[in-house]
Amino acid sequence: QVQLVESGGGSVQTGGSLKLSCAATGRTFRINVMGWYRQDPGSQRELVATITTDNTTNYGDSVKGRFTISRDNGKNIVALQMNSLKPEDTAMYYCNIRPVTAMIDQGFWGQGTQVTVSS
């Protein structure tokens, strides 16, 4: 079992910055993908960014150039630096960890942290 604890959400104005953090404990997978997804009520879940154990990254089109994902493999922590935030970034952000060969929903999810961007 894997536990994910997220932190760092909050409210900012347009153009502001926030940094999310997610710590994974328990039986984490040796080779894994950690990442962030977001969802607004009534909307589909959306990829924000993922990063593999060897630091290969993937970003959703809507956040490219504004968000940066990073990880500390020794501590199983993944961080998401969000800059130039826009109102459309408002959502619940969820951390995920999964084996690199698994599908997203075969992994584990955090409880979510709310990000609200006001205009």
Side-chain angles (χ1 to χ4, degrees):
Q1 193 74 3
V2 178
Q3 295 79 43
L4 297 170
V5 178
E6 300 137 330
S7 60
S11 298
V12 294
Q13 293 189 324
T14 297
S17 297
L18 283 174
K19 186 173 183 177
L20 306 183
S21 184
C22 174
T25 59
R27 297 184 66 180
T28 58
F29 316 102
R30 186 174 68 86
I31 301 174
N32 61 58
V33 182
M34 295 188 76
W36 293 93
Y37 296 80
R38 66 188 184 188
Q39 190 168 20
D40 230 359
S43 301
Q44 287 192 330
R45 184 176 62 199
E46 179 187 6
L47 165 71
V48 178
T50 61
I51 185 168
T52 63
T53 314
D54 65 357
N55 289 317
T56 299
T57 59
N58 183 38
Y59 292 91
D61 288 341
S62 62
V63 307
K64 285 179 181 177
R66 300 187 297 123
F67 291 11
T68 302
I69 192 169
S70 61
R71 68 183 291 165
D72 181 334
N73 285 330
K75 297 180 180 178
N76 282 321
I77 293 175
V78 63
L80 183 70
Q81 178 65 46
M82 305 186 293
N83 298 329
S84 302
L85 282 160
K86 305 174 182 180
E88 50 263 46
D89 294 318
T90 296
M92 187 72 80
Y93 283 67
Y94 296 92
C95 181
N96 176 273
I97 183 171
R98 58 182 171 85
V100 69
T101 56
M103 302 297 289
I104 295 169
D105 288 322
Q106 293 176 305
F108 293 87
W109 293 93
Q111 78 284 359
T113 185
Q114 179 68 38
V115 170
T116 302
V117 185
S118 57
S119 56

